[in-house]
Amino acid sequence: MKMDLVSGYKGVFGLVFGNENSSNEDSYVERLLDRISNGKLAEDRRNAITELQAIVSESQAAQLAFGAMGFPVLLSVLREERDDVEMVRGALETLVSALTPINHAKGSSKEVQPALMNTDLLSREAESISLLLSLLTEDDFYVRYYTLQLLTALLSNSPQRLQEAILTIPRGITRLMDMLMDREVIRNEALLLLTHLTCEAEEIQKIVVFEGAFEKIFSIIKEEGGSDGGVVVQDCLELLNNLLRSNASNQVLLRETIGLDSLISILKLRGSGYTFTQQKTINLLSAIETIKLLIKGGSDADPGKDLNKQTNKRTLIQKKVLDHLLMLSVESQWAPVAVRCAALRCIGDLIAGDSKNCDVLSSKFLGEEPQVEPALNSILRIILRTSSMQEFIAADFVFKSFCEKNADGQSMLASTLIPQPYSMNHAPLEEDVNMSFGSMLLHRLTLGENDGDLEVCGRAASVLSHVLKDNLHCKERVLQIEIEAPVPSLGTPEPLMHRMVKYLALASSMKSKDGKSISSENSYIQEIILKLLVTWLADCPGAVHCFLDARPHLTYLLELVSNLSETVCIRGLAAVVLGECVIYNKSTDSAKDAFAIVDMMSQKIGLSSYFLRLDEMQKSFVFANVESSLNRKSFTRSSAASIEDIADSDNNDLSEQKNMDHPILSLILDSYFVNLVKGLEADIREQIVEVYSHPKIKVAVVPAELEQKNGENDGEYIKRLKSFLEKQCSEIQDLLSRNATLAEDLARTGGASNLQSEQRVSGSSDKVQINALNRDLQEASKRLEMLKAEKAEVESEARKYRNLAEKMEADLRSLSDAYNSLEQSNIQLEKQVTALKSGGSSTFLDVGAIKAKAREEAQKESEGELNDLLVCLGQEQSKVDKLSARLLEIGEDVHKLLEGIGDEVGNVEDGEDEEDTE
């Protein structure tokens, strides 16, 4: 394996440097190695190794030649010639030179680096790491020093392989830890080595802590003078941060063994001058980084992270760390901006999601008598006065953390928002020292347009948005605030919201001193005010009503959305505010209800353009990178190269962002707000589809409309029903037309956006069509049910009249039977009379007279009953005719219904005729 690697390196050597140009170095290195391994005189061998070290430290070709053939020779010296200290020193120094890059003029980026290749080759040598670790027990200072340098060089270029090797060597880490108690130079080298070794190596971190790393680190820091110490303090803190980063068990050990007092004491400012050197600044930043690691609590995958996080926060608060952070961030205005910003962000992390810690911060007072004021007031003043953008962002983060999930804290701040007289609102800047939090905030929110300080107004609007976030009570309370007009006789007080919209319009139109529009890429005021409006209107119908009270507000928003000269973020946020005026609109005024607003959006900008603004904003740099902007880089030795880099690091990062929107927006528009906007966008799309899915005037189907009125003939009734149906059809056609327009707009929007937008728009279009079809089906079903009910009613009446006709028919048959019976009786009587006459009896009465009288009476009685029957039959016939006409109107076969009745009546009449004939 070793021969393959060496032959491979020789091949690379020839390819990179050329065989002719490198032949001298190659042969020279080979001769020197031969003198070292085969020389007879000790002095000659020492001279050879000195010459070898010199050429390897100056020539890349010599470094590559040495890597191809020199490691076995020098490792043999280290292994077999421990007694010759000079030879061991020379071998170690030569190995360090072979692993150290030579910085000549910049060559090609693809050029092979011999130092990296040598590092890889040495790390692959069997037992090379254990051999080097064994040299740490030697008494010679330089042997230990060069060994540590060599291990550090190996770690810098091949960290994983060396970390794995050290873990397999018994007492390997213990030997390194012992170096921390050695002489200062060796101790410092050991610190650097351990810092590289513990980076992202959890097992090594645990062993180092078990070997007493915490006690040794803080002992060195105290010995060096704390934050006033030199670079050694920085190295100690960086090693400490490696041990605590994402390692909850080590954090618990630190808290439960030596405690956090030693760490917090580093933040304490000493002396009367409060001078801040570059190194002191770096040391303080490293200590603040340690506090932030404890606040984080450990790895996200650790199930006990949250409990450890809360315990660390509680312990830090008990140890008065908040006082030291406030001293660094607020009271020590002579501190560098980088320190102030880091301390403010640390305060925000400390109180985030913890109501008790928020209460502690709100109870803090700063300054000395008689000018003592709440800490929150001082932090607000930093926001309003600082010239550093990064300090504004850091101080704003404190209020964001204070107000998040802290309704009591928000209400406390909102309760101080009391309007002041116009003269107080325009008091000099210095007079805000004695103002309350709310007065100071309103003072900066209501600056006149002539003051030209819209940036301060925008910063105050950012703080107000935190106070209102997710708190309906605070939103309603602030809605009641009215700002006094400059001259009361010339105008009435206006709501604070109207003043903010006024400043939004002013920010987009005002020109800066150099003639450029303030709404260019160097401005963020409009976005902050729009953020305030989005937060204020969310889930607050009262705020929407107040916003729509002024007609120009809606007109201005429509212009802002359609103005292509504005940034993507401004147009998108304005579109979100418009959408909130739809989804949270409870107005009953037809000119300001949701339907009217959607109509204006469709007419002025078109729904396709409107939805495109939302899509563009979601794909913008600000929204796409909000999560990455929250993950701040860890503070390390490499990132602290100079104090200028520290102060400007965030600005440098921001300046590299290729985005038309102001780069600071990725920090101002936090993840909560971005997620809120994404949720609102989905609701806006759904609500607009819902608005277009229903007619503006909903026609209520009243059952009385379908009933025939008293005194109304059939023609008028049918005409009124026809008019009612035509009105319904008109509403349906209007609805279908709107649905078609919406579907077309959504389809065009989908064609201009990505696949996800296409799917979303297609789904909305399908939903529109399905809703329309469902409504048509429901209308048809209702109409069918009404016709069925009417048919059932007519059939019921027909059955009733059929039963009545059957009863009359039965009565007629009964009457006919009675008449037949009388005829039979008459015949019998006639026969009896004839028989009596033949008998010649004279005593009998005049039978003929009796018979004639009886027949006359029977005939009169029959004629009366027949007349009554005919009258009834005439009345029933008129009812049957009317029912027949109704049945014909609904399409029923009348002859089929009356077929049986006619046959039965006909049969009865035929029977009567036959009897009469007889």
Side-chain angles (χ1 to χ4, degrees), residues 505-517:
L506 185 64
S508 63
S509 61
M510 180 177 290
K511 300 293 182 178
S512 59
K513 293 181 180 179
D514 57 0
K516 296 181 179 179
S517 173

Side-chain angles (χ1 to χ4, degrees), residues 662-674:
H662 196 286
I664 207 69
L665 291 178
S666 59
L667 298 175
I668 295 176
L669 305 181
D670 53 25
S671 60
Y672 166 84
F673 181 75
V674 170

Side-chain angles (χ1 to χ4, degrees), residues 272-291:
S272 58
Y274 296 107
T275 56
F276 286 84
T277 62
Q278 176 179 336
Q279 188 59 55
K280 181 174 182 176
T281 300
I282 296 173
N283 293 343
L284 287 171
L285 290 173
S286 300
I288 293 173
E289 176 73 14
T290 308
I291 301 292

